[in-house]
Amino acid sequence: MNFHVMTLFPEMIMQGLSSSILGRALERGLISLNAVNIRDYTLDKHKRVDDYPYGGGAGMVMSVDPVVRCYRAIFSEITRKGGQKEKKVRVIYLTPQGKTFTQEMAKELAEEEDLIFLCGHYEGIDERAIEMVVTEQISIGDYVLTGGELPVMVMIDAISRLVPGVLNNGNSAEFETFHDHLLEYPQYTRPEVYEGREVPEILLSGHHAKIEEWRRKQSILRTKEARPDLLGRAVQEGCLNKREMTFWRELEQGWE
Ligand code: SAM
């Protein structure tokens, strides 16, 4: 998976993603990260990349030309490397106005070979740049940040851990929060007792089937508590087995 990021702050992206699991994935060549400075593509002699908004209003707007030229340079590099004349590459603009990013979207994007991201700054980007290069707009949540750099790092992190080989344990991305629309069960590690708080006995029993059943029930309980909307989807989409459905019905009727 090759990530290409158009940004005014490439060092932020490179530093932010070069440690820990992603750092190792980069070293092992499982993912690549190409943060490109949009400022390198301005023709302005003072290297300006923004200007006042037409019609007035607060703040500055990123200009169309450096963004389009930056995109074209990245796109031709991708097609040159792939030895292709034309190739469809998805270009994602990070914006609070986009569709909210989800685990499902991360899974789908992890199937791509190349992804191009566009980070805005200031008051945003000249609309024509969005019309000309962007294929989809994604938000990381209903709040406004100063730039698209943190959002793109969030997205790259979430997508990368779904790329085969990035996580050591192949199961760990599969059976965790949002799998089957459930939140993950509580986790414990040593010591067995900490300041009087004990690890649930079942987890020490070595009885794998019972542990699995306990964990699924805990997941259902947690999801009901914190995200009843998700639990509704789990039920609707048939993600719970017969026993779990009985448990869910009991919970709905107020028994625990
Ligand atoms: N004026 C814009 C608006 O009201 O929609 C907001 C611009 S914001 C201050 C600057 C840049 O930060 C945006 O162009 C976008 O790239 C990024 N950004 C801010 N909040 C975001 C969010 N929740 N998700 C994704 N990107 C975000």
Side-chain angles (χ1 to χ4, degrees), residues 40-217:
D40 292 344
Y41 292 88
T42 177
L43 298 179
D44 182 88
K45 62 176 183 226
H46 303 295
K47 290 270 171 200
R48 274 186 72 167
V49 286
D50 60 352
D51 216 325
Y52 294 99
Y54 277 120
M60 303 296 277
V61 174
M62 283 170 66
S63 310
V64 54
D65 186 58
V67 173
V68 171
R69 287 162 38 79
C70 179
Y71 161 73
R72 287 183 180 150
I74 293 173
F75 183 75
S76 58
E77 185 62 13
I78 294 173
T79 42
R80 191 187 61 77
K81 272 194 184 152
Q84 289 140 315
K85 262 202 163 160
E86 267 305 319
K87 183 180 172 179
K88 280 218 165 110
V89 183
R90 294 165 77 172
V91 184
I92 297 164
Y93 173 43
L94 285 308
T95 164
Q97 301 182 24
K99 271 196 192 155
T100 308
F101 187 50
T102 63
Q103 186 70 10
E104 275 165 56
M105 285 157 92
K107 264 190 208 155
E108 192 232 329
L109 290 167
E111 308 280 314
E112 298 288 330
E113 199 181 327
D114 290 276
L115 285 173
I116 303 178
F117 294 93
L118 172 59
C119 301
H121 228 87
Y122 316 119
E123 280 314 306
I125 302 182
D126 187 312
E127 193 64 24
R128 291 164 295 182
I130 299 166
E131 289 164 8
M132 287 170 75
V133 310
V134 168
T135 61
E136 52 221 282
Q137 304 194 28
I138 297 182
S139 162
I140 62 158
D142 286 349
Y143 37 80
V144 181
L145 299 162
T146 54
E149 286 71 21
L150 287 171
V152 84
M153 286 193 256
V154 168
M155 283 192 67
I156 291 176
D157 188 298
I159 296 167
S160 297
R161 59 197 299 286
L162 302 173
V163 170
V166 169
L167 297 181
N168 288 335
N169 171 5
N171 289 331
S172 58
E174 210 173 313
F175 301 105
E176 64 183 355
T177 292
F178 302 127
H179 173 72
D180 274 354
H181 304 300
L182 296 175
L183 305 184
E184 197 183 56
Y185 46 82
Q187 298 267 23
Y188 299 87
T189 184
R190 288 191 295 182
E192 238 176 83
V193 184
Y194 183 73
E195 294 192 357
R197 290 169 184 268
E198 293 177 12
V199 171
E201 219 179 310
I202 183 81
L203 298 179
L204 312 173
S205 69
H207 196 302
H208 295 301
K210 286 210 166 125
I211 291 174
E212 179 55 25
E213 192 183 326
W214 179 86
R215 284 180 163 168
R216 288 284 293 189
K217 279 190 171 175

